[in-house]
Amino acid sequence: MPPRSSPTARQQRLGSELRKLREQSGMSAQQAAALLGVDRTRIPNVESGRFGISAERVRTLAFNYGCPDAVLVDLLAAMAQERDRGWWEEHRGLLPPALLDIAELEYHAAELQTAVTTHIPGLLQTEKHARAVFDTAVPPLPGPDLEARLSLRLRRQQVLERERPVHYEAVIHEAALRMQFGGPKVAREQLEDILAQSERETVSVRVIPFAAGGFPGAGQSFTCVGAPVPQLDTVQLDSSHGSLLLDTPMQLRRYRGLLDRLRGLSLPADESRAFIRTIAQDL
C-alpha cells in the first residue's frame, strides 16, 4: 500500500493516539515494529497518518502497550477500519484540505458545541446567507470556488438532519445575530431559520446579549467536537487563515472551560428564542 500524500485529520489523529499509547508504555518505535514484524520505519509512518494500519494490528499494539481502556481501543480499531470515501472527498483537490477535515470531524462527532461572536455558525447558515458571506471574501472568490465552498457548507448540515442527528449546541453573541449579510431580508430569513432549527430536539441555541458585557475569548470562534470518549475530542478554531485543530489534554480542558464560561453568560434556550425573534422583527 503506497503512503498517503495528504492524510486526513482523522487519519492523523489515529496515528497520534497510537503514538501516545506507545510513549506512555515506554516502548520504542523499533520495539513496536518488531511486535508487528515490520520494518522499523513503518511505525513512525503509521503514527504520522501516512500509512494505514489494520484494526487487528491496532488491537495488537494496544494490548502490548498495556492500554486498559477497552472502549478507546474499540474506537481506534473502528477508525482503522474506515475505508469508505465520505461525500466530502468529492471536493478534494477543489477546496483546502482543512475544510474537508471539518466536514469529516462533524460527520463522526457524537456531539458538537460551538461558540461564535461575529458570525452565524456554518451548520445554521441558510444558502442565501452563506452566499452573501462568501461574496465578501478578499480577494473575491472565483465563481467555481465559491460554489464549491457553498456546496460543502450546505452538505455539512446533513449531520443535523440525518436519521441519527448529532447533538448540537450553539452559543451565539448578539453581534453575530445583528450582522446583515445580504441585507435585511436575507438577515431576517436567516434568523427565522435559526428559530426553526432551535425547535429540533437535538439542537440548542443560546444567545449572549450585549448586556452581558465583556467576556473571555471575545472575538474568537471555536467548536468542541465531542467523540464517544473524551480522549478523542477535538477543538476546531476558526481564523481568517484557515482552521486549526487542537487535541492535547491541556487544550481540551481550556476550551471546555471557556465554553462553560460562555454558556453561563448566555440566556436560557427559551429566552434566547424570544431574543432572536425580537431582532428578526426589527429588521
Side-chain angles (χ1 to χ4, degrees), residues 42-58:
R42 172 69 63 148
I43 295 300
N45 280 315
V46 167
E47 292 177 350
S48 69
R50 294 188 69 244
F51 276 48
I53 184 171
S54 70
E56 180 182 358
R57 285 186 163 183
V58 166

Side-chain angles (χ1 to χ4, degrees), residues 108-127:
H108 291 286
E111 64 175 2
L112 294 166
Q113 298 169 306
T114 191
V116 295
T117 56
T118 58
H119 65 272
I120 302 298
L123 292 184
L124 296 179
Q125 290 183 9
T126 65
E127 180 176 355

